[in-house]
Amino acid sequence: MSKNKVLMCGNEACGEGAVIAGCKFYAGYPITPQNELISYMAKRLNETGGAFVQAESELAAISMVFGASAAGERAMTSSSSPGISLKQEGISYLAACELPCVIVNMQRGGPGLGNIAPSQGDYFQSVKGGGHGDYKLIVLAPMSVQELLDLTFLAFDLADKYRNPALILGDGLLGQMMEPLTIPSDMQPKHYDKPWALTGCRDRAPRIIRSLLLGEGALEEHNRHMQEKFRTIKETETRSQSFHTKDADIILVAYGSVARIAKAAMEAARAKGLKVGLIRPITLWPFPDKTIEDSCAATKKFLVVEMSAGQMVEDVRLAVNGKAKVEFYGRMGGGIPCEEEILERVEALL
Amino acid sequence: MPNPASLRMVDNHYCAGCGHGIIHRLVCEAIDEYGIRERVIAVAPVGCAVIAYDYWDFDVTEAAHGRTPAVATGIKRVRPGNIVFTYQGDGDLAAIGTAEIVHAANRGENITVIFVNNGVYGMTGGQMAPTTLAGQKTSTTIYGRSLRREGYPLKILEMLAVLPGVKYAERVAVNSSHEVLRAKRAISKAFKMQIDGKGFSIVEVLSMCPTYWGMTPIQAADRIKNEVATFYPLGVIKSC
């Protein structure tokens, strides 16, 4: 066994990805099912000379991240669904001020206090804005403990590259399950100059970080600039995986933990001789709509599987744009679809 | 009197008789006095002083309403060598941001807080603040603040003073030249506490809002002496 092969839960792997990425600040407020991440950051930032604060609330935590990011350091917070709702105010401010940071949401059942079982009910909130105003987060959806490390590392890079908050959208299942993972020894965080960071105005003009733009047309201009940035991100950073989509009679679309289950269902179907494919978005925003649209040439039917009442299915429908039928199967409130359930749906649709 | 290097010599947007201009100047004088302009990172509030960064000549960020001390915490924790201060009104600090100020103080964050108390929400049109005095008329207490209905004015400094993390708390006013000089000394001391690494320091400044008090600037200054300071006593509340 390689020296850097370890057994960790997803929340810890996420924390380790952050530490390797050079995260120097973490603030958070405990909420199940992401508490292993808070504890991990408390320990690791102490070891690596970063700063950890257990905040008095989610609102304070995201604002502390705002401060640390404004001061030019890589910063992170994490929470789970109800806590992310509370953070939305700060997330909107971070996006408006173009401050990079990484936010982790290990989703739980909702709405409201819900339960602590895995869910994917926060898709809309994650990819459509969530807080007030016109903005987008870069949303990455890991489906394994390994990917929690890899994509968290990537999220810090993308956040700095585009000066935009990045969100890791996992769920309680991914956060708490344990899997062996490899920590690559050559993971080196990229360095980005931050000519906007507040460091004290020694030998330079003072800097201001703000989202209040009162001048005539100034805010519209800033919004135009942000939308231009979002277009660049969409063109450059859209990521997905496709399996057996070239000859598929039906293509499953699923992300995160459900993508794993859908993949198993696809493999079971293929073993039975059924032509089933899978598209698994890795970035939920930007959404891989081109990949989905292009696959309409080979298939006439999609089945979107989510642990929600049907949220990502709307983006699939937009991408398909009437060129194929889009069916949906979802479970809510902590219900997890199993392989057989998905296979049964597929067989009914074929 | 020379102008402070930290203060931009531009016209400001404050109403006639408002205390913000004086308090901005006192903060800048203190910063110049210690030669820390190039180390300062300020957190501007939401409220009347929302564009303080147009007047200050050092690094400044904004914060969401009330989250000012949390933003300052994030800055100070990653840049302990910088001098970090927040500038907050009574709505920002004593209402929507009560949790943030209590916990930043209780953690003993090595930051300085300038708390401007004028007893009303000025920016939004003169509504009741937590600090509004009993009987005071505002746009949301048109017959005067009723203690039975709206509760009691909040004495933030006395509350914070019981916390071990708070090392210095003083209440001052800017209604007369004599009080302005005392305010200057308090603000300077609050920065010195941070420079020396002593911990959380806060100065509450009783300030005038002639516009929403419905008074002339002179009447407003007199009201601080005759009414406001009788409820919110001036002086050092805690110094360690």
Side-chain angles (χ1 to χ4, degrees), chain B:
Chain B
M1 196 160 59
N3 294 317
S6 297
L7 189 66
R8 293 179 202 265
M9 286 302 117
V10 294
D11 291 340
N12 71 43
H13 73 288
Y14 299 116
C15 304
C18 168
H20 275 308
I22 301 168
I23 304 163
H24 282 10
R25 184 182 176 106
L26 298 182
V27 167
C28 290
E29 283 180 357
I31 288 167
D32 286 0
E33 179 185 323
Y34 296 116
I36 53 173
R37 189 183 77 89
E38 294 179 332
R39 288 167 66 198
V40 163
I41 304 174
V43 189
V46 168
C48 284
V50 70
I51 53 174
Y53 39 66
D54 284 350
Y55 311 133
W56 293 335
D57 200 25
F58 39 76
D59 281 7
V60 190
T61 183
E62 68 172 24
H65 199 189
R67 318 285 170 246
T68 329
V71 170
T73 298
I75 297 169
K76 188 72 180 184
R77 291 294 184 107
V78 299
R79 297 207 163 270
N82 284 85
I83 302 300
V84 180
F85 80 92
T86 72
Y87 189 98
Q88 303 179 255
D90 36 28
D92 196 68
L93 186 141
I96 198 168
T98 322
E100 281 80 1
I101 197 67
V102 167
H103 288 277
N106 193 47
R107 284 190 303 268
E109 297 293 342
N110 189 31
I111 60 171
T112 300
V113 174
I114 308 298
F115 168 36
V116 181
N117 177 3
N118 64 10
V120 286
Y121 287 68
M123 176 63 97
T124 47
Q127 296 85 359
M128 183 189 76
T131 48
T132 298
L133 294 184
Q136 187 177 339
K137 288 180 181 172
T138 72
S139 76
T140 50
T141 54
I142 53 172
Y143 303 111
R145 180 177 187 157
S146 151
L147 297 181
R148 188 180 52 78
R149 198 170 48 229
E150 278 91 30
Y152 297 86
L154 201 52
K155 288 186 173 174
I156 285 285
L157 247 52
E158 284 79 354
M159 278 171 58
L160 293 181
V162 302
L163 303 174
V166 175
K167 300 302 177 190
Y168 175 59
E170 180 165 357
R171 186 180 288 121
V172 295
V174 287
N175 59 314
S176 69
S177 54
H178 175 70
E179 295 301 343
V180 167
L181 288 173
R182 285 174 51 168
K184 167 68 194 306
R185 281 197 293 275
I187 290 169
S188 291
K189 180 163 181 198
F191 277 103
K192 186 72 166 58
M193 296 295 282
Q194 182 181 172
I195 292 165
D196 293 345
K198 296 272 175 63
F200 187 89
S201 55
I202 181 166
V203 177
E204 176 177 344
V205 187
L206 301 183
S207 184
M208 299 75 69
C209 181
T211 300
Y212 290 111
W213 292 358
M215 292 177 175
T216 66
I218 290 168
Q219 287 170 334
D222 287 344
R223 180 177 178 254
I224 291 211
K225 184 183 170 199
N226 301 329
E227 272 183 72
V228 185
T230 58
F231 184 81
Y232 295 110
L234 303 180
V236 176
I237 293 169
K238 185 178 187 181
S239 183
C240 302

